[in-house]
Amino acid sequence: MKTRRHKGTSLVETLVIIVIGGVIATLAIKVLHQSQVNARQAQAWLDLQRGATRLETQLRQDLRDATEVTLPDEKTLVIQQADSSISYTHQTGLVERSLKPAGSEQVQHEGFRLPSARVDIALSEPEQVRVVIEANQGLPSSEQYVIEQTIGRQP
């Protein structure tokens, strides 16, 4: 009795290979997507830390040189110095610093990125400014950065 050998693959074998390949491709796409989400979150966190650090350094310097500080509204802090006027205005994800030197019409702008953060500025005492930066806006993983600085140079 002769046995017949089939060369090639059957339709069922081909379909099984296609299904296995599809499952592997789906899993790979899910892993790639999750890694991209994680990278975006890490970049936003890094931007927040950089922005908060830069903001803290500049704000402390400006407040040390201040002669007067006012809060015209809840989003704006105005610092008067001997030779300039500086305002800090916060919007969603950004704090903008505007510097106007005395006797000049030019205004210099600088921005501090604070993605997904809420910023509260207050005069906690007559001679002290308190800035609270809340990352992730009240989510369970939120963190607060608090900047407190006395106005003017202390002896």
Side-chain angles (χ1 to χ4, degrees), residues 5 22 26 34 40 42 48 50 69 74 76 79 118 147 155:
R5 252 193 179 301
T26 302
Q34 188 60 44
R40 276 193 297 270
L48 175 69
R50 283 183 186 156
V69 174
E74 61 192 29
T76 306
I79 302 170
R118 192 180 85 227
I147 304 168

Side-chain angles (χ1 to χ4, degrees), residues 69-87:
V69 174
T70 58
L71 284 170
D73 59 51
E74 61 192 29
K75 294 186 174 230
T76 306
L77 173 70
V78 177
I79 302 170
Q80 295 296 325
Q81 295 180 342
D83 59 347
S84 61
S85 175
I86 301 168
S87 67

Side-chain angles (χ1 to χ4, degrees), residues 115-127:
S116 303
R118 192 180 85 227
V119 179
D120 292 319
I121 301 173
L123 291 171
S124 59
E125 296 177 21
E127 294 294 316

Side-chain angles (χ1 to χ4, degrees), residues 48-67:
L48 175 69
Q49 288 181 332
R50 283 183 186 156
T53 301
R54 287 183 48 238
L55 173 63
E56 178 180 17
T57 302
Q58 187 64 60
L59 181 63
R60 285 187 187 279
Q61 182 63 46
D62 290 342
L63 288 171
R64 284 187 196 108
D65 295 337
T67 57

Side-chain angles (χ1 to χ4, degrees), residues 97-108:
R97 176 183 184 263
S98 301
L99 169 67
K100 183 178 180 195
S104 174
E105 292 300 317
Q106 288 188 330
V107 179
Q108 300 171 4

Side-chain angles (χ1 to χ4, degrees), residues 128-144:
Q128 189 162 4
V129 174
R130 178 182 171 93
V131 177
V132 178
I133 302 168
E134 184 179 352
N136 295 330
Q137 299 180 351
L139 296 174
S141 63
S142 69
E143 286 191 34
Q144 284 189 348

